[in-house]
DNA sequence: TGCAGATGTTTATTAGAGTAAATATATCAC
DNA sequence: GTGATATATTTACTCTAATAAACATCTGCA
């Protein structure tokens, strides 16, 4: 009914103003904000207060701060990494498990594989083959692909090709968190072998336009991963990643 | 290969330490951290530096800070609100649209409706009826249910009942963002009427254990919403929410 | 008992000064 | 001129010290 009369903190005002300016498009990603010294006078607050506000905006992913001449706060798009970390932190406090992640995968990914088989252009197939080749190369070198970005990319690319940013984001964080759990379980060499073989089966079906085959192969791949990880003992929470 | 030799900022060290302590469970949600004064001596940094670190941890959702006697930093679970905002901010910079959100819904929600019809207990059905009743009550009062939490709850509860935190989170943010877009489009009274009628159809199928019916009704509901919003003109980005 | 005020604790904000890092610019050798 | 090196400048980062505001609790008076 009435507006709350509680005086917010000064830094909150600053955060809100900058945030809204960015979301409204008045401040575009890439654009520089004035340096501390000037912002202090513009907002009429002390350096300390201003810096706290900038720190918060930085944590939210709205700005990056560079030092040195020509540096200062720069507006940036909120990126997947910031968001992924937030999701991972949230799920850490829920009972996220391999099976809960796998359930989501089993619904979404076969759908995406089918779509890929039906709609992929020659170029898209080439990219997917590239990703697959990179995985193979890593495996030859390291005898392990668990925990690499490339392993995830195979799945995320199917989502990216759908041109649906929501789908892509979901695939990204589900696979990232799952991979994080995996790498703590330290599966053996045969696990990576199975993954590569499955990817290959999916890829082949997509290449030949075999929608049913792609859907089935993907479903089976996810089930296999879930089972093999289940055998590897009790599931651990996604633990501390490097992010700060 | 070698560890990066770049000196991180002092506040980064503090953030990492506290964050890891919380993720490892050494610091439990609800637990109080020592007041600024003591943290300053424990970390051996100035008050300013410490406060910046606390501000960042606050933005990440790991702590809350209360002022006054007995106040201070309190460890808290990273909650859905923090995470939802982060996702909304991220998707703001992608081309999220009603159709991209609807595509995800069309895959996940019919599945959940089917599952509900197959497995819901009498108690769970009662809760769902309660939510539905609340929606009806709001509609009678306001002639509009768009933008209310109750509208979302109907969908999120189906996910919550699946006991899959990942699923629940996805349903929460997809429906929250969609509702945010909706409320900016200001659909008329008949839109709310259609939504309520559709919810009722889904509810009825779940109550009678009609899995096929529930699945189909939910799918149709989502398509209907997508179409009606499509007619309402070009889609707008999810705009500024109140969060700070 | 119950209310008003005093007291102590803790965060919020300010001011000012000095340090360290990154960049830009000028200088010098060739 | 070109390239490398030194210098200067810009900018964020850190620290100290002190005041103001919020909050909880205790105290004393009616």
């Amino acid at each position: 009914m009435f507006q709350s009369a509680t005086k917010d903190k000064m830094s909150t005002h600053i955060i809100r103003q900058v945030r809204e300016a960015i979301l409204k498009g008045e401040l575009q990603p890439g654009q520089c904000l004035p340096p501390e010294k000037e912002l202090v006078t513009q907002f009429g607050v002390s350096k300390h207060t201003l810096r706290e506000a900038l720190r918060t905006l930085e944590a939210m992913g709205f700005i990056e701060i560079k030092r040195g001449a020509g540096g200062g706060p720069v507006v940036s798009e909120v990126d997947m990494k910031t968001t992924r970390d937030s999701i991972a932190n949230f799920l850490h406090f829920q009972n996220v498990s391999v099976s809960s992640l796998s359930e989501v995968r089993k619904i979404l990914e076969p759908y995406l594989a089918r779509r890929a088989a039906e709609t992929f252009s020659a170029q898209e197939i080439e990219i997917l083959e590239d990703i697959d080749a990179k995985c193979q190369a890593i495996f030859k070198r390291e005898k392990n692909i668990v925990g690499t970005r490339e392993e995830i990319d195979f799945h995320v690319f199917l989502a990216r090709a759908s041109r649906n940013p929501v789908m892509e984001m979901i695939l990204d964080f589900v696979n990232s968190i799952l991979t994080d759990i995996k790498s703590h379980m330290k599966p053996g060499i045969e696990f990576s072998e199975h993954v590569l073989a499955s990817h290959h089966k999916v890829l082949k079906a997509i290449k030949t336009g075999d929608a049913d085959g792609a859907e089935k192969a993907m479903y089976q791949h996810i089930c296999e991963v879930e089972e093999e990880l289940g055998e590897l003992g009790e599931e651990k929470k996604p633990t501390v990643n490097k992010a700060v």
Side-chain angles (χ1 to χ4, degrees), chain A residues 40-141:
Chain A
V40 160
T41 68
Q42 273 192 36
F43 284 111
V45 297
S46 79
K47 185 147 74 175
H48 181 98
T49 304
L50 175 79
R51 281 177 61 79
E52 279 192 13
L54 293 184
R55 268 292 117 74
T56 299
L57 286 164
E58 196 187 29
M60 297 198 285
F62 281 114
I63 62 169
E64 282 175 18
I65 301 175
K66 277 185 224 143
R67 5 182 201 197
V74 185
V75 177
S76 59
E77 288 192 8
V78 177
D79 62 0
M80 190 57 221
K81 189 185 164 314
T82 306
T83 311
R84 193 194 302 138
D85 285 344
S86 179
I87 294 172
N89 290 338
F90 168 75
L91 288 176
H92 176 87
F93 294 100
Q94 318 298 316
N95 307 25
V96 65
S97 60
V98 170
S99 63
S100 52
L101 292 163
S102 296
E103 183 184 14
V104 173
R105 294 186 74 194
K106 279 189 261 187
I107 308 172
L108 295 179
E109 300 207 28
Y111 167 87
L112 291 172
R114 162 175 286 276
R115 228 176 103 152
E118 288 167 349
T119 68
F120 261 26
S121 67
Q123 199 192 356
E124 284 169 321
I125 288 176
E126 201 178 320
I127 294 174
L128 198 59
E129 282 184 318
D130 257 28
I131 294 171
D132 185 53
K134 270 185 196 149
C135 286
Q136 302 271 7
I138 290 174
F139 179 71
K140 278 217 177 94
R141 259 208 326 275

Side-chain angles (χ1 to χ4, degrees), chain A residues 141-179:
Chain A
R141 259 208 326 275
E142 320 265 353
K143 301 295 169 209
N144 176 39
I145 61 159
V146 171
T148 64
R149 187 66 214 175
E150 282 74 13
E151 183 201 6
I152 299 170
D153 279 344
F154 185 87
H155 296 272
V156 173
F157 181 72
L158 297 184
R160 177 168 308 146
S162 78
R163 313 257 170 205
N164 183 335
V166 184
M167 191 75 85
E168 184 178 345
M169 191 202 63
I170 294 173
L171 267 283
D172 183 295
F173 82 72
V174 167
N175 279 286
S176 295
I177 293 173
L178 183 62
T179 280

Side-chain angles (χ1 to χ4, degrees), chain A residues 211-226:
Chain A
D212 284 342
E215 183 177 338
K216 240 184 239 168
M218 181 63 92
Y219 186 82
Q220 216 164 1
H221 167 43
I222 296 166
C223 291
E224 213 176 280
V225 168
E226 185 181 8

